[in-house]
Amino acid sequence: MDNPLLDVAHFLLKPGWPTPVFWLLLAAGIAVAFYAFAMIPGQRSFANIWNLVFRMLIGAMWWQATLWKLPPTYTDEPGQPFGETGLAFWMIRLGKTAALQIQADFVNNIVLPHFYLFAPIVYGLEVLTAASLILGLFVRFWGVIGALQSLNLWLGLYNDYYNWPWTYFFLLILMLIFAVHRYGRSLGFDAVIAARASGRGSFARIVFAAAS
């Protein structure tokens, strides 16, 4: 019988290229956290440490969500017929259970007929959202992107019998919290860049402030 500890072990040791990539991201995120803690006095607080832990945990969740939609088939069961597993299965579900007819029509009439055009976009956005949270890089920007992805899932699976709509709504709120409160500036790359940005031009500061 599965339990949280076994699930974590399976996730961290799962065969395949995503596992070493995840470990590299995690190592980089931890390394920059130690650097920020050591070199930037304002980063030395328990609040920042907890923000780092929360950010990395949700980043790991986003990464894990990509493992059942790996390219090039965008499923973890490539031997199964199209639409019975992976991303295609959930896109079909979304087209049937969306709260808004315009969203259902878009999925059924545009996304699904051009699945292999949209699937890399979905996969890429989730990977980049995960990487942003783990590294603490441009978290304000990717927090908003993550919130929009969560909004799509919330409305798209709103009437799905097997999903609790509040799950995606809670994730939406959490991603907005990360963005509004700039969690990347808690022991992340954003904190390091911000500490070094004082001498840069006004345009660079504006762009960085908007993204982080």
Side-chain angles (χ1 to χ4, degrees), residues 146-196:
L148 292 174
Q149 293 176 81
S150 303
L151 177 64
N152 177 63
L153 291 171
W154 176 50
L155 293 176
L157 297 172
Y158 194 83
N159 296 301
D160 185 71
Y161 178 80
Y162 298 100
N163 281 279
W164 188 40
W166 280 103
T167 300
Y168 302 109
F169 188 80
F170 288 149
L171 181 58
L172 186 159
I173 296 300
L174 190 58
M175 295 305 298
L176 289 178
I177 289 173
F178 288 165
V180 170
H181 293 283
R182 296 180 168 185
Y183 270 49
R185 299 202 181 192
S186 292
L187 300 172
F189 271 103
D190 287 345
V192 176
I193 297 172
R196 298 183 176 185

Short mmCIF file of all heavy atoms in Angstrom, two decimals, residues 146-196:
data_model
loop_
_atom_site.label_atom_id
_atom_site.label_comp_id
_atom_site.label_asym_id
_atom_site.label_seq_id
_atom_site.Cartn_x
_atom_site.Cartn_y
_atom_site.Cartn_z
N GLY A 146 1.57 30.40 -13.37
CA GLY A 146 1.05 29.23 -12.66
C GLY A 146 -0.38 29.43 -12.21
O GLY A 146 -1.18 28.49 -12.25
N ALA A 147 -0.71 30.65 -11.79
CA ALA A 147 -2.09 30.94 -11.39
C ALA A 147 -3.04 30.81 -12.58
O ALA A 147 -4.16 30.28 -12.44
CB ALA A 147 -2.18 32.34 -10.79
N LEU A 148 -2.61 31.25 -13.75
CA LEU A 148 -3.44 31.14 -14.95
C LEU A 148 -3.63 29.67 -15.35
O LEU A 148 -4.73 29.27 -15.77
CB LEU A 148 -2.83 31.93 -16.10
CG LEU A 148 -2.84 33.45 -15.94
CD1 LEU A 148 -2.07 34.12 -17.08
CD2 LEU A 148 -4.27 33.99 -15.88
N GLN A 149 -2.57 28.88 -15.20
CA GLN A 149 -2.71 27.45 -15.48
C GLN A 149 -3.69 26.81 -14.49
O GLN A 149 -4.51 25.95 -14.88
CB GLN A 149 -1.34 26.76 -15.36
CG GLN A 149 -0.34 27.18 -16.42
CD GLN A 149 1.02 26.55 -16.20
OE1 GLN A 149 1.25 25.40 -16.55
NE2 GLN A 149 1.93 27.29 -15.59
N SER A 150 -3.62 27.21 -13.24
CA SER A 150 -4.53 26.67 -12.22
C SER A 150 -5.97 27.12 -12.50
O SER A 150 -6.92 26.34 -12.30
CB SER A 150 -4.10 27.14 -10.83
OG SER A 150 -2.77 26.76 -10.56
N LEU A 151 -6.12 28.36 -12.96
CA LEU A 151 -7.45 28.85 -13.32
C LEU A 151 -8.05 28.02 -14.44
O LEU A 151 -9.24 27.66 -14.41
CB LEU A 151 -7.36 30.32 -13.74
CG LEU A 151 -8.65 30.98 -14.21
CD1 LEU A 151 -9.68 31.05 -13.09
CD2 LEU A 151 -8.36 32.38 -14.76
N ASN A 152 -7.23 27.68 -15.43
CA ASN A 152 -7.68 26.84 -16.53
C ASN A 152 -8.16 25.48 -16.04
O ASN A 152 -9.20 24.97 -16.47
CB ASN A 152 -6.56 26.67 -17.55
CG ASN A 152 -6.92 25.77 -18.70
OD1 ASN A 152 -7.82 26.05 -19.48
ND2 ASN A 152 -6.23 24.64 -18.80
N LEU A 153 -7.40 24.89 -15.11
CA LEU A 153 -7.79 23.58 -14.55
C LEU A 153 -9.03 23.70 -13.67
O LEU A 153 -9.90 22.82 -13.70
CB LEU A 153 -6.62 23.00 -13.74
CG LEU A 153 -5.40 22.58 -14.55
CD1 LEU A 153 -4.24 22.23 -13.61
CD2 LEU A 153 -5.73 21.39 -15.45
N TRP A 154 -9.10 24.75 -12.89
CA TRP A 154 -10.25 24.94 -12.00
C TRP A 154 -11.55 25.00 -12.80
O TRP A 154 -12.51 24.29 -12.51
CB TRP A 154 -10.06 26.22 -11.18
CG TRP A 154 -11.22 26.57 -10.30
CD1 TRP A 154 -11.87 25.74 -9.42
CD2 TRP A 154 -11.88 27.83 -10.21
NE1 TRP A 154 -12.89 26.41 -8.79
CE2 TRP A 154 -12.92 27.70 -9.26
CE3 TRP A 154 -11.70 29.06 -10.85
CZ2 TRP A 154 -13.77 28.75 -8.92
CZ3 TRP A 154 -12.54 30.11 -10.50
CH2 TRP A 154 -13.55 29.95 -9.55
N LEU A 155 -11.57 25.85 -13.82
CA LEU A 155 -12.78 25.99 -14.63
C LEU A 155 -12.97 24.79 -15.56
O LEU A 155 -14.09 24.35 -15.77
CB LEU A 155 -12.69 27.28 -15.45
CG LEU A 155 -12.73 28.59 -14.65
CD1 LEU A 155 -12.53 29.79 -15.56
CD2 LEU A 155 -14.04 28.71 -13.87
N GLY A 156 -11.87 24.26 -16.09
CA GLY A 156 -11.98 23.18 -17.05
C GLY A 156 -12.45 21.87 -16.45
O GLY A 156 -13.15 21.09 -17.11
N LEU A 157 -12.07 21.61 -15.20
CA LEU A 157 -12.47 20.35 -14.54
C LEU A 157 -13.50 20.60 -13.44
O LEU A 157 -13.67 19.77 -12.55
CB LEU A 157 -11.23 19.66 -13.97
CG LEU A 157 -10.19 19.23 -15.01
CD1 LEU A 157 -8.91 18.73 -14.33
CD2 LEU A 157 -10.76 18.14 -15.93
N TYR A 158 -14.19 21.71 -13.54
CA TYR A 158 -15.11 22.12 -12.49
C TYR A 158 -16.23 21.10 -12.27
O TYR A 158 -16.67 20.86 -11.15
CB TYR A 158 -15.71 23.49 -12.82
CG TYR A 158 -16.41 24.13 -11.65
CD1 TYR A 158 -15.69 24.83 -10.69
CD2 TYR A 158 -17.79 24.02 -11.49
CE1 TYR A 158 -16.32 25.41 -9.60
CE2 TYR A 158 -18.42 24.59 -10.39
CZ TYR A 158 -17.68 25.29 -9.46
OH TYR A 158 -18.30 25.86 -8.37
N ASN A 159 -16.69 20.50 -13.35
CA ASN A 159 -17.79 19.53 -13.27
C ASN A 159 -17.34 18.08 -13.37
O ASN A 159 -18.16 17.19 -13.56
CB ASN A 159 -18.82 19.83 -14.37
CG ASN A 159 -19.47 21.19 -14.19
OD1 ASN A 159 -20.10 21.46 -13.17
ND2 ASN A 159 -19.32 22.06 -15.17
N ASP A 160 -16.03 17.86 -13.22
CA ASP A 160 -15.51 16.50 -13.29
C ASP A 160 -15.79 15.77 -11.98
O ASP A 160 -15.43 16.25 -10.90
CB ASP A 160 -14.01 16.51 -13.58
CG ASP A 160 -13.46 15.11 -13.77
OD1 ASP A 160 -13.75 14.50 -14.80
OD2 ASP A 160 -12.75 14.64 -12.86
N TYR A 161 -16.39 14.62 -12.08
CA TYR A 161 -16.82 13.88 -10.90
C TYR A 161 -15.64 13.47 -10.02
O TYR A 161 -15.76 13.39 -8.80
CB TYR A 161 -17.60 12.63 -11.33
CG TYR A 161 -18.05 11.76 -10.19
CD1 TYR A 161 -19.19 12.08 -9.46
CD2 TYR A 161 -17.34 10.61 -9.84
CE1 TYR A 161 -19.62 11.29 -8.40
CE2 TYR A 161 -17.75 9.80 -8.79
CZ TYR A 161 -18.89 10.14 -8.07
OH TYR A 161 -19.30 9.37 -7.02
N TYR A 162 -14.47 13.24 -10.63
CA TYR A 162 -13.32 12.71 -9.91
C TYR A 162 -12.40 13.81 -9.36
O TYR A 162 -11.34 13.51 -8.82
CB TYR A 162 -12.51 11.78 -10.81
CG TYR A 162 -13.31 10.58 -11.25
CD1 TYR A 162 -13.89 10.54 -12.52
CD2 TYR A 162 -13.51 9.50 -10.40
CE1 TYR A 162 -14.64 9.44 -12.93
CE2 TYR A 162 -14.25 8.39 -10.80
CZ TYR A 162 -14.81 8.38 -12.07
OH TYR A 162 -15.56 7.30 -12.47
N ASN A 163 -12.78 15.05 -9.52
CA ASN A 163 -11.95 16.15 -9.03
C ASN A 163 -12.75 17.05 -8.11
O ASN A 163 -13.95 17.29 -8.33
CB ASN A 163 -11.42 16.99 -10.21
CG ASN A 163 -10.24 16.34 -10.90
OD1 ASN A 163 -9.12 16.44 -10.45
ND2 ASN A 163 -10.52 15.65 -12.00
N TRP A 164 -12.08 17.54 -7.08
CA TRP A 164 -12.66 18.54 -6.18
C TRP A 164 -12.23 19.91 -6.68
O TRP A 164 -11.04 20.23 -6.66
CB TRP A 164 -12.14 18.30 -4.76
CG TRP A 164 -12.80 19.14 -3.71
CD1 TRP A 164 -14.11 19.45 -3.61
CD2 TRP A 164 -12.15 19.76 -2.59
NE1 TRP A 164 -14.34 20.22 -2.50
CE2 TRP A 164 -13.16 20.43 -1.85
CE3 TRP A 164 -10.83 19.80 -2.13
CZ2 TRP A 164 -12.89 21.14 -0.69
CZ3 TRP A 164 -10.56 20.50 -0.98
CH2 TRP A 164 -11.58 21.17 -0.26
N PRO A 165 -13.15 20.73 -7.18
CA PRO A 165 -12.76 22.01 -7.79
C PRO A 165 -11.90 22.89 -6.90
O PRO A 165 -11.03 23.61 -7.39
CB PRO A 165 -14.12 22.67 -8.09
CG PRO A 165 -15.09 21.54 -8.21
CD PRO A 165 -14.61 20.51 -7.23
N TRP A 166 -12.14 22.83 -5.58
CA TRP A 166 -11.36 23.68 -4.68
C TRP A 166 -9.87 23.37 -4.73
O TRP A 166 -9.04 24.23 -4.39
CB TRP A 166 -11.88 23.55 -3.26
CG TRP A 166 -13.11 24.35 -3.00
CD1 TRP A 166 -14.40 23.89 -2.93
CD2 TRP A 166 -13.20 25.76 -2.81
NE1 TRP A 166 -15.27 24.92 -2.69
CE2 TRP A 166 -14.56 26.09 -2.61
CE3 TRP A 166 -12.26 26.79 -2.77
CZ2 TRP A 166 -15.00 27.38 -2.39
CZ3 TRP A 166 -12.70 28.09 -2.56
CH2 TRP A 166 -14.05 28.37 -2.36
N THR A 167 -9.49 22.16 -5.14
CA THR A 167 -8.07 21.81 -5.22
C THR A 167 -7.33 22.80 -6.11
O THR A 167 -6.29 23.35 -5.73
CB THR A 167 -7.90 20.38 -5.77
OG1 THR A 167 -8.57 19.46 -4.91
CG2 THR A 167 -6.42 20.01 -5.87
N TYR A 168 -7.85 23.03 -7.31
CA TYR A 168 -7.19 23.92 -8.25
C TYR A 168 -7.36 25.37 -7.85
O TYR A 168 -6.48 26.20 -8.13
CB TYR A 168 -7.74 23.67 -9.66
CG TYR A 168 -7.56 22.24 -10.09
CD1 TYR A 168 -8.66 21.38 -10.20
CD2 TYR A 168 -6.30 21.73 -10.35
CE1 TYR A 168 -8.49 20.06 -10.57
CE2 TYR A 168 -6.12 20.41 -10.73
CZ TYR A 168 -7.22 19.58 -10.83
OH TYR A 168 -7.05 18.27 -11.19
N PHE A 169 -8.47 25.69 -7.20
CA PHE A 169 -8.65 27.07 -6.73
C PHE A 169 -7.64 27.39 -5.63
O PHE A 169 -7.06 28.48 -5.61
CB PHE A 169 -10.07 27.27 -6.21
CG PHE A 169 -10.39 28.71 -5.90
CD1 PHE A 169 -10.71 29.59 -6.91
CD2 PHE A 169 -10.34 29.19 -4.60
CE1 PHE A 169 -10.99 30.92 -6.64
CE2 PHE A 169 -10.63 30.51 -4.31
CZ PHE A 169 -10.95 31.38 -5.33
N PHE A 170 -7.40 26.45 -4.73
CA PHE A 170 -6.39 26.66 -3.69
C PHE A 170 -5.01 26.85 -4.31
O PHE A 170 -4.21 27.68 -3.86
CB PHE A 170 -6.37 25.49 -2.72
CG PHE A 170 -7.56 25.41 -1.81
CD1 PHE A 170 -8.03 24.20 -1.36
CD2 PHE A 170 -8.23 26.57 -1.41
CE1 PHE A 170 -9.13 24.12 -0.52
CE2 PHE A 170 -9.33 26.51 -0.57
CZ PHE A 170 -9.78 25.28 -0.12
N LEU A 171 -4.70 26.05 -5.35
CA LEU A 171 -3.41 26.20 -6.02
C LEU A 171 -3.32 27.56 -6.69
O LEU A 171 -2.25 28.20 -6.67
CB LEU A 171 -3.22 25.08 -7.05
CG LEU A 171 -1.90 25.08 -7.81
CD1 LEU A 171 -0.71 25.00 -6.86
CD2 LEU A 171 -1.86 23.93 -8.81
N LEU A 172 -4.40 28.02 -7.28
CA LEU A 172 -4.44 29.34 -7.90
C LEU A 172 -4.09 30.41 -6.87
O LEU A 172 -3.24 31.29 -7.11
CB LEU A 172 -5.84 29.59 -8.49
CG LEU A 172 -6.09 30.85 -9.31
CD1 LEU A 172 -7.33 30.63 -10.19
CD2 LEU A 172 -6.32 32.08 -8.45
N ILE A 173 -4.74 30.36 -5.71
CA ILE A 173 -4.48 31.34 -4.66
C ILE A 173 -3.04 31.26 -4.18
O ILE A 173 -2.36 32.28 -3.97
CB ILE A 173 -5.45 31.14 -3.47
CG1 ILE A 173 -6.89 31.38 -3.91
CG2 ILE A 173 -5.08 32.05 -2.31
CD1 ILE A 173 -7.17 32.77 -4.44
N LEU A 174 -2.54 30.04 -4.02
CA LEU A 174 -1.16 29.85 -3.56
C LEU A 174 -0.17 30.47 -4.54
O LEU A 174 0.80 31.13 -4.14
CB LEU A 174 -0.88 28.37 -3.38
CG LEU A 174 0.41 27.98 -2.67
CD1 LEU A 174 0.47 28.59 -1.28
CD2 LEU A 174 0.53 26.46 -2.58
N MET A 175 -0.39 30.27 -5.83
CA MET A 175 0.52 30.83 -6.83
C MET A 175 0.47 32.35 -6.82
O MET A 175 1.49 33.02 -7.00
CB MET A 175 0.19 30.29 -8.22
CG MET A 175 0.41 28.78 -8.39
SD MET A 175 2.08 28.23 -7.96
CE MET A 175 3.05 29.12 -9.17
N LEU A 176 -0.72 32.91 -6.59
CA LEU A 176 -0.82 34.37 -6.49
C LEU A 176 -0.11 34.89 -5.25
O LEU A 176 0.50 35.96 -5.28
CB LEU A 176 -2.30 34.79 -6.48
CG LEU A 176 -3.04 34.63 -7.80
CD1 LEU A 176 -4.51 35.03 -7.64
CD2 LEU A 176 -2.39 35.46 -8.91
N ILE A 177 -0.18 34.13 -4.15
CA ILE A 177 0.56 34.53 -2.94
C ILE A 177 2.06 34.56 -3.23
O ILE A 177 2.76 35.50 -2.84
CB ILE A 177 0.24 33.56 -1.78
CG1 ILE A 177 -1.20 33.77 -1.30
CG2 ILE A 177 1.22 33.75 -0.63
CD1 ILE A 177 -1.66 32.75 -0.28
N PHE A 178 2.56 33.53 -3.92
CA PHE A 178 3.98 33.51 -4.28
C PHE A 178 4.35 34.75 -5.11
O PHE A 178 5.43 35.32 -4.93
CB PHE A 178 4.32 32.26 -5.08
CG PHE A 178 4.34 30.99 -4.26
CD1 PHE A 178 4.31 29.75 -4.89
CD2 PHE A 178 4.38 31.02 -2.88
CE1 PHE A 178 4.34 28.58 -4.14
CE2 PHE A 178 4.41 29.86 -2.12
CZ PHE A 178 4.38 28.63 -2.77
N ALA A 179 3.46 35.12 -6.04
CA ALA A 179 3.73 36.26 -6.91
C ALA A 179 3.65 37.58 -6.15
O ALA A 179 4.57 38.41 -6.23
CB ALA A 179 2.75 36.27 -8.09
N VAL A 180 2.57 37.78 -5.41
CA VAL A 180 2.36 39.05 -4.72
C VAL A 180 3.43 39.30 -3.66
O VAL A 180 3.94 40.42 -3.52
CB VAL A 180 0.95 39.08 -4.09
CG1 VAL A 180 0.80 40.29 -3.17
CG2 VAL A 180 -0.12 39.12 -5.18
N HIS A 181 3.79 38.25 -2.93
CA HIS A 181 4.76 38.41 -1.85
C HIS A 181 6.20 38.10 -2.28
O HIS A 181 7.08 38.02 -1.43
CB HIS A 181 4.35 37.53 -0.66
CG HIS A 181 3.09 37.98 -0.01
ND1 HIS A 181 3.03 39.07 0.83
CD2 HIS A 181 1.82 37.51 -0.11
CE1 HIS A 181 1.78 39.24 1.25
NE2 HIS A 181 1.03 38.31 0.69
N ARG A 182 6.41 37.91 -3.55
CA ARG A 182 7.75 37.80 -4.13
C ARG A 182 8.58 36.73 -3.42
O ARG A 182 9.66 37.00 -2.89
CB ARG A 182 8.47 39.15 -4.05
CG ARG A 182 7.81 40.24 -4.88
CD ARG A 182 8.58 41.54 -4.76
NE ARG A 182 8.13 42.49 -5.76
CZ ARG A 182 8.70 43.68 -5.96
NH1 ARG A 182 9.75 44.04 -5.24
NH2 ARG A 182 8.24 44.49 -6.88
N TYR A 183 8.09 35.51 -3.46
CA TYR A 183 8.79 34.44 -2.75
C TYR A 183 10.17 34.15 -3.31
O TYR A 183 11.00 33.54 -2.63
CB TYR A 183 7.93 33.17 -2.75
CG TYR A 183 7.01 33.07 -1.56
CD1 TYR A 183 6.21 34.14 -1.19
CD2 TYR A 183 6.93 31.91 -0.81
CE1 TYR A 183 5.36 34.06 -0.10
CE2 TYR A 183 6.10 31.81 0.29
CZ TYR A 183 5.31 32.89 0.64
OH TYR A 183 4.48 32.80 1.73
N GLY A 184 10.43 34.55 -4.53
CA GLY A 184 11.77 34.36 -5.08
C GLY A 184 12.81 35.22 -4.38
O GLY A 184 14.01 34.95 -4.46
N ARG A 185 12.35 36.26 -3.69
CA ARG A 185 13.27 37.13 -2.95
C ARG A 185 13.53 36.61 -1.55
O ARG A 185 14.14 37.31 -0.74
CB ARG A 185 12.74 38.54 -2.94
CG ARG A 185 12.60 39.14 -4.34
CD ARG A 185 12.58 40.64 -4.35
NE ARG A 185 12.42 41.15 -5.70
CZ ARG A 185 12.60 42.42 -6.05
NH1 ARG A 185 12.96 43.30 -5.12
NH2 ARG A 185 12.42 42.80 -7.30
N SER A 186 13.04 35.42 -1.26
CA SER A 186 13.39 34.72 -0.02
C SER A 186 14.37 33.60 -0.36
O SER A 186 13.96 32.52 -0.78
CB SER A 186 12.13 34.15 0.65
OG SER A 186 11.31 35.19 1.14
N LEU A 187 15.66 33.91 -0.27
CA LEU A 187 16.72 32.92 -0.49
C LEU A 187 16.68 32.29 -1.89
O LEU A 187 17.00 31.12 -2.07
CB LEU A 187 16.65 31.82 0.58
CG LEU A 187 16.81 32.31 2.02
CD1 LEU A 187 16.53 31.19 3.01
CD2 LEU A 187 18.22 32.87 2.24
N GLY A 188 16.28 33.08 -2.87
CA GLY A 188 16.25 32.60 -4.25
C GLY A 188 17.13 33.46 -5.15
O GLY A 188 17.75 34.44 -4.71
N PHE A 189 17.19 33.09 -6.43
CA PHE A 189 17.94 33.88 -7.39
C PHE A 189 17.43 35.32 -7.44
O PHE A 189 18.22 36.26 -7.63
CB PHE A 189 17.85 33.25 -8.79
CG PHE A 189 18.92 32.24 -9.07
CD1 PHE A 189 18.64 30.88 -9.01
CD2 PHE A 189 20.20 32.64 -9.39
CE1 PHE A 189 19.63 29.95 -9.28
CE2 PHE A 189 21.19 31.71 -9.66
CZ PHE A 189 20.91 30.36 -9.60
N ASP A 190 16.13 35.51 -7.27
CA ASP A 190 15.58 36.86 -7.28
C ASP A 190 16.19 37.72 -6.19
O ASP A 190 16.44 38.92 -6.38
CB ASP A 190 14.06 36.81 -7.11
CG ASP A 190 13.34 36.31 -8.35
OD1 ASP A 190 13.97 36.26 -9.42
OD2 ASP A 190 12.15 35.95 -8.24
N ALA A 191 16.44 37.13 -5.02
CA ALA A 191 17.05 37.87 -3.92
C ALA A 191 18.47 38.29 -4.27
O ALA A 191 18.89 39.43 -3.99
CB ALA A 191 17.06 37.01 -2.65
N VAL A 192 19.22 37.38 -4.90
CA VAL A 192 20.60 37.69 -5.28
C VAL A 192 20.63 38.78 -6.35
O VAL A 192 21.42 39.74 -6.27
CB VAL A 192 21.32 36.42 -5.78
CG1 VAL A 192 22.72 36.75 -6.27
CG2 VAL A 192 21.37 35.38 -4.65
N ILE A 193 19.76 38.66 -7.34
CA ILE A 193 19.73 39.65 -8.42
C ILE A 193 19.31 41.01 -7.86
O ILE A 193 19.87 42.05 -8.22
CB ILE A 193 18.77 39.20 -9.53
CG1 ILE A 193 19.29 37.90 -10.17
CG2 ILE A 193 18.65 40.29 -10.60
CD1 ILE A 193 18.31 37.27 -11.15
N ALA A 194 18.31 41.02 -6.98
CA ALA A 194 17.83 42.27 -6.39
C ALA A 194 18.94 42.97 -5.61
O ALA A 194 19.06 44.20 -5.64
CB ALA A 194 16.63 42.00 -5.49
N ALA A 195 19.75 42.19 -4.92
CA ALA A 195 20.83 42.77 -4.13
C ALA A 195 21.89 43.42 -5.00
O ALA A 195 22.62 44.31 -4.55
CB ALA A 195 21.47 41.70 -3.25
N ARG A 196 21.99 42.96 -6.25
CA ARG A 196 23.01 43.48 -7.15
C ARG A 196 22.45 44.45 -8.19
O ARG A 196 23.20 44.94 -9.04
CB ARG A 196 23.69 42.33 -7.88
CG ARG A 196 24.42 41.36 -6.95
CD ARG A 196 25.13 40.30 -7.74
NE ARG A 196 25.91 39.41 -6.88
CZ ARG A 196 26.72 38.45 -7.33
NH1 ARG A 196 26.84 38.26 -8.63
NH2 ARG A 196 27.39 37.69 -6.48
#
